[in-house]
Amino acid sequence: MPTIHNLAAAVLMFVAPALAPALAQPSLNPPSGAVGLSQVFGPGTAINSRNTPGDGNSRFKITQPGHYHLASNIRVIDLPFLEQPIAIEIAASDVTIDLNGFTLSRGPLISPGQTEPEDPVAGEDTVGIGVDDQDVRNITIRNGTIYGFATAVGLRRQAGGFSTVSARESALADLRIRDALRTGARAITIGTNADIERCVVRSQNSGISAGSGLVLRDSRIEADADGVLSADALIESCRIASGGNAIDASDAIIRDSWIQANGAVIVTNQAVIEGCRIQSDADINGPPAVRLGNGLIHGCTIISSATPIDFQIEGAIADTVAIGGTSNIASGVFVTGSKL
């Protein structure tokens, strides 16, 4: 009489050959032909003249959502001679550009013996990565260097007349930016609800101009003109130094940052400023270090040869603030626990 053990063995002998093709091991030999760039650098499309050809206003143009990357350094010399030519134009929403640690530049890269490139020369109103004539959203640019353009990242711009084209709800991360001298230009322009983290910006012009809702964290901004312009912003754990006004941001929360300027350090209404070192390098006749209306300064150190704080609107509060110099405090302004 057959046992359960013998029946099980018989079933396995009958079934195993039928399953053999499904259980076959994959070949260990690599496929024939060249390895695609996406297999080297991860998912996505390499930015080049074949995959992302440009048009009359750009060297490269992204027209479809997806992930894109640089496969090498890209140096752009002869941008189209049009108003605000763009090296990489973004004409679609839901786009991620990973620079993969490479450099997008207009002008020379690092010369032999140099530790970093020289200051870019003054040039046309060029853009490294940006939008042209249509609104987009959900753009991410990360992990590399953008060098030598008047605007490194131009995700907010005038498209003609008074209309503004922008990329909303976008993010910049782990970028090193050094722009070219261009009067009135900004190293970064970006739309509403933007997130900028772990970026280093060295601007011969102004630093960042953002729509409302900016979140700026763990970044270093050095600008010869103004530093950061936004509204409803959160600025946290940053080092900001400027030759003009360092921060101009109404309805902002500014925390744990070192902020230094030759002009006014912070110009804001209805703001909360906490745990910051605020330093004005203006002379004694210069602007106040902080111009605050209807807000709160808490736990800060303010250093200024001019007026450290100018409370211009009733309802402002300075709490546990160490201040050197004299302050102009309007009626109805509360100063508590402070060293004046």
Side-chain angles (χ1 to χ4, degrees):
M1 180 176 181
T3 64
I4 294 177
H5 175 77
N6 292 337
L7 287 174
V11 169
L12 286 173
M13 291 178 62
F14 177 77
V15 173
L19 293 178
L23 299 176
Q25 295 298 313
S27 171
L28 298 179
N29 296 320
S32 59
V35 178
L37 286 172
S38 62
Q39 293 172 264
V40 177
F41 294 104
T45 302
I47 296 172
N48 55 41
S49 57
R50 182 183 64 182
N51 296 332
T52 53
D55 57 18
N57 204 38
S58 60
R59 177 63 59 231
F60 308 102
K61 186 172 183 177
I62 294 171
T63 59
Q64 297 295 325
H67 286 71
Y68 296 81
H69 58 254
L70 296 192
S72 63
N73 293 325
I74 292 180
R75 180 184 176 189
V76 179
I77 300 174
D78 55 340
L79 279 174
F81 192 73
L82 296 175
E83 182 181 355
Q84 202 171 35
I86 306 169
I88 300 175
E89 179 185 341
I90 301 173
S93 296
D94 303 311
V95 167
T96 295
I97 298 178
D98 190 339
L99 301 181
N100 271 313
F102 293 117
T103 296
L104 172 67
S105 69
R106 181 179 181 272
L109 297 177
I110 298 175
S111 301
Q114 287 183 295
T115 56
E116 60 181 63
E118 299 174 355
D119 286 336
V121 296
E124 299 84 9
D125 198 8
T126 53
V127 178
I129 302 175
V131 295
D132 182 22
D133 57 1
Q134 66 184 78
D135 290 323
V136 295
R137 61 179 298 276
N138 193 27
I139 306 300
T140 298
I141 304 170
R142 65 190 184 203
N143 189 27
T145 299
I146 304 174
Y147 167 83
F149 302 90
T151 297
V153 177
L155 296 182
R156 185 170 183 260
R157 64 179 294 256
Q158 296 297 121
F162 296 98
S163 63
T164 299
V165 171
S166 67
R168 298 174 288 111
E169 300 164 13
S170 297
L172 309 178
D174 303 303
L175 296 177
R176 294 178 60 86
I177 288 172
R178 193 160 186 181
D179 62 13
L181 181 62
R182 180 72 173 177
T183 302
R186 294 176 172 89
I188 296 173
T189 62
I190 198 165
T192 57
N193 300 322
D195 194 334
I196 301 176
E197 296 189 13
R198 301 182 303 279
C199 291
V200 177
V201 177
R202 299 181 66 185
S203 174
Q204 298 183 75
N205 313 297
S206 292
I208 298 173
S209 176
S212 61
L214 170 69
V215 176
L216 175 63
R217 289 193 177 101
D218 301 316
S219 295
R220 183 183 182 103
I221 314 297
E222 298 177 3
D224 289 351
D226 295 334
V228 178
L229 173 65
S230 184
D232 297 311
L234 170 62
I235 299 174
E236 194 169 47
S237 302
C238 291
R239 172 74 168 93
I240 300 172
S242 74
N245 296 335
I247 298 175
D248 190 339
S250 60
D251 301 296
I253 298 174
I254 305 170
R255 295 178 181 149
D256 303 324
S257 296
W258 183 2
I259 309 160
Q260 183 177 1
N262 286 332
V265 180
I266 300 174
V267 180
T268 183
N269 290 326
Q270 300 184 12
V272 176
I273 306 170
E274 297 181 301
C276 293
R277 176 186 173 90
I278 300 168
Q279 180 176 338
S280 171
D281 294 331
D283 62 31
I284 193 168
N285 297 315
V290 179
R291 288 176 174 164
L292 174 66
N294 194 25
L296 167 68
I297 300 179
H298 174 76
C300 297
T301 297
I302 301 175
I303 302 170
S304 174
S305 297
T307 303
I309 301 179
D310 185 359
F311 290 116
Q312 297 180 321
I313 299 177
E314 293 188 6
I317 301 174
D319 175 46
T320 58
V321 180
I323 301 174
T326 60
S327 293
N328 175 23
I329 301 175
S331 64
V333 172
F334 302 95
V335 180
T336 63
S338 302
K339 181 180 179 182
L340 299 176

